[in-house]
Amino acid sequence: MMEANKLAVDVQRIHQLNSLLRPFIKRPSSGDAITFEQYRILHELAMEKVSTSELARRLNVGQSMISIQISRLLNNGYIDDETLATDRRYHVFEITPRGRRIEEHVSDVLNEELPELIQQLTEIVNAR
């Protein structure tokens, strides 16, 4: 009986965590609706040009997810595609000025709001 109660409490905590995180991760930023996954890609590209396979490795996600998000970021003008002159099959991606503005804005929001979010998450996890 104690195990069933503990499981019920854990499931409730997970539901609370999910409810708290979903709006934070999904909300649009600075008038441009980007997903958290797209932000993560822009954040990586703000540091250097990177290939699809390297992005997948760094973000620990599948290449198909990266390819879908790359396509959306390209279509919205947040990144550019560059092929190597020596191997036209190899593509690297670079953040555009528009993409950099979005990445900087979301980073500022995260820096401002993340401490409060972490506090709320800690309270949920530590609730007895």
Side-chain angles (χ1 to χ4, degrees):
M1 186 67 165
M2 290 293 276
E3 281 298 313
N5 288 339
K6 183 179 180 327
L7 180 60
V9 169
D10 288 344
V11 168
Q12 180 60 29
R13 285 183 185 161
I14 290 169
H15 177 70
Q16 289 174 317
L17 291 170
N18 189 41
S19 296
L20 185 63
L21 287 172
R22 182 177 290 130
F24 183 81
I25 291 171
K26 293 288 185 188
R27 80 166 171 233
S29 56
S30 74
D32 291 287
I34 64 168
T35 65
F36 192 68
E37 291 82 11
Q38 290 168 346
Y39 164 73
R40 292 176 65 205
I41 292 169
L42 290 177
H43 186 70
E44 287 295 323
L45 295 177
M47 294 180 259
E48 65 180 317
K49 297 178 187 178
V50 182
S51 68
T52 303
S53 58
E54 180 61 16
L55 281 168
R57 187 192 67 73
R58 289 183 186 183
L59 301 177
N60 197 30
V61 296
Q63 276 193 275
S64 61
M65 191 285 285
I66 293 293
S67 294
I68 291 167
Q69 299 305 334
I70 287 288
S71 180
R72 291 175 181 161
L73 291 167
L74 283 166
N75 289 338
N76 287 315
Y78 298 134
I79 62 173
D80 285 327
D81 182 356
E82 179 182 311
T83 56
L84 296 181
T86 57
D87 186 351
R88 305 291 295 165
R89 296 170 297 171
Y90 189 78
H91 296 259
V92 291
F93 300 94
E94 177 177 34
I95 195 167
T96 64
R98 181 178 183 199
R100 188 168 301 278
R101 284 191 302 274
I102 297 301
E103 188 277 333
E104 288 172 354
H105 173 77
V106 174
S107 290
D108 289 345
V109 170
L110 286 173
N111 284 330
E112 183 179 312
E113 295 184 12
L114 205 51
E116 175 63 26
L117 178 64
I118 290 171
Q119 177 62 37
Q120 292 173 348
L121 293 171
T122 302
E123 289 171 9
I124 291 170
V125 169
N126 293 332
R128 303 241 179 228

